[in-house]
Amino acid sequence: MTKIIVGEGMSSYKVFAVAALLFLNAGAAFSTDKLIALTFDDGPRPYVLFGTKGNHLGQGLMNVLDENGVKATFFVVGWRLSPKTWGERRYEENIGITCLDAAEQLVRRGHELEDHTYSHIELRGAERKRGEQWVLGDVNRGAEAIKAVSGTQPHYLRPPDWIIPDDARRDLERQGYHLLTISQQTPVALRDVNSLDYLCTRNAGECPKPSLEDAVLKQVEQRERHGVYTHILAFHELSTTTAIMPELITNLKARGYRFVTLSDYMQLVRAKP
């Protein structure tokens, strides 16, 4: 414990100021020790965020995050932020809440919205068919839709399937975007941890074993063995993912992890020596 020696003529205000400074410095050193940036792609999906109304009732992801005191970052798809849009008719349940209303609720609850493009099309193939300018336009169109909701220009882009042509990547970085990736060329602390949660929606046999939660924790433990205690966890807005969140969050907190938004994560991790 740090002792504060009070000298003659040292006012109580100065003592308090020194103590506060020492506390803040200690907090800053601790804050980068064990961090989780929880991120979700492909939304907003109201039936996931608020819970379903059908036969298979499930808790909404927003309530799960609120109950656990977690702020997350959502990589949303621009077309979903069009008025009166609630989702894809073939795969999603209409619970009477639009995607736009859901996005506004996310912002009000303190979560972040970042860019997952407007069309959610694989960008390498899109560039071959339509050209680089179309790719850049699709990303920027998604950003404009997000800014109209949040009032903030997105700074982070996660391309669909983490695929993007090199020339488009360079041009988007020049525009100020930070691209998230699973590439081993990216420093490990800034590299996405792919949860593979999307496999659980296709066929139960494809879901990571022994469970999705255990598979994610195993990846975290592998990174810890290499001295990495800061992780960007990449999930999707899925009911199957929501179901494992309470236990996963509890487990990670028990291991000493603190949950932060992606922008806070980047600020803290990049500043770490």
Side-chain angles (χ1 to χ4, degrees):
M1 179 180 293
T2 303
K3 293 183 179 179
I4 303 173
I5 301 174
V6 181
E8 292 184 5
M10 191 172 186
S11 68
S12 59
Y13 173 80
K14 288 182 178 179
V15 172
F16 174 81
V18 171
L21 183 60
L22 289 170
F23 176 81
L24 289 173
N25 285 340
F30 174 78
S31 65
T32 57
D33 284 347
K34 303 184 82 170
L35 297 176
I36 298 286
L38 199 57
T39 70
F40 299 92
D41 290 4
D42 294 359
R45 289 175 169 167
Y47 80 101
V48 174
L49 295 172
F50 293 95
T52 58
K53 291 185 175 180
N55 295 327
H56 304 287
L57 296 178
Q59 190 175 13
L61 178 57
M62 271 200 275
N63 283 342
V64 169
L65 297 176
D66 283 352
E67 289 171 2
N68 287 277
V70 171
K71 302 303 181 188
T73 301
F74 290 81
F75 284 83
V76 299
V77 179
W79 69 262
R80 290 179 175 270
L81 302 181
S82 305
K84 300 182 180 179
T85 300
W86 56 263
E88 296 179 346
R89 295 181 181 275
R90 289 183 59 189
Y91 306 107
E92 299 175 34
E93 179 184 353
N94 183 358
I95 62 169
I97 301 174
T98 67
C99 298
L100 188 56
D101 289 339
E104 291 171 348
Q105 185 69 242
L106 284 170
V107 173
R108 282 196 293 269
R109 296 197 190 191
H111 303 290
E112 287 183 341
L113 303 184
E114 294 294 345
D115 201 344
H116 199 42
T117 74
Y118 185 88
S119 302
H120 197 255
I121 293 175
E122 190 266 287
L123 296 180
R124 185 178 296 158
E127 184 182 86
R128 285 196 297 266
K129 293 179 181 178
R130 307 180 187 185
E132 184 193 354
Q133 288 306 309
W134 186 93
V135 170
L136 301 180
D138 195 64
V139 171
N140 289 326
R141 189 180 177 191
E144 290 168 4
I146 293 167
K147 187 176 181 180
V149 175
S150 67
T152 303
Q153 175 69 24
H155 297 293
Y156 299 95
L157 168 68
R158 181 177 282 145
D161 298 324
W162 291 281
I163 297 172
I164 190 168
D166 288 339
D167 51 355
R169 175 182 55 78
R170 286 190 293 267
D171 287 340
L172 288 167
E173 287 174 341
R174 291 191 191 104
Q175 289 184 30
Y177 288 99
H178 177 94
L179 273 66
L180 297 187
T181 178
I182 55 175
S183 170
Q184 293 188 355
Q185 296 177 350
T186 301
V188 65
L190 304 179
R191 187 188 311 160
D192 283 347
V193 177
N194 182 5
S195 68
L196 298 173
D197 62 339
Y198 49 86
L199 296 178
C200 300
T201 64
R202 301 173 184 173
N203 185 316
E206 295 183 1
C207 197
K209 298 293 185 295
S211 70
L212 177 58
E213 179 198 355
D214 289 333
V216 172
L217 291 174
K218 183 177 180 180
Q219 290 196 70
V220 169
E221 291 165 357
Q222 288 173 342
R223 289 162 63 93
E224 288 177 340
R225 284 196 286 271
H226 290 88
V228 180
Y229 294 90
T230 54
H231 319 284
I232 302 170
L233 302 186
F235 291 94
H236 295 77
E237 282 189 38
L238 299 168
S239 298
T240 47
T241 296
T242 301
I244 67 123
M245 275 298 132
E247 190 171 349
L248 177 64
I249 292 170
T250 298
N251 200 320
L252 288 168
K253 283 184 175 181
R255 294 172 184 231
Y257 281 98
R258 183 162 65 93
F259 289 81
V260 294
T261 60
L262 181 65
S263 59
D264 286 342
Y265 178 96
M266 289 296 189
Q267 185 176 1
L268 291 165
V269 173
R270 285 175 168 175
K272 187 176 180 180

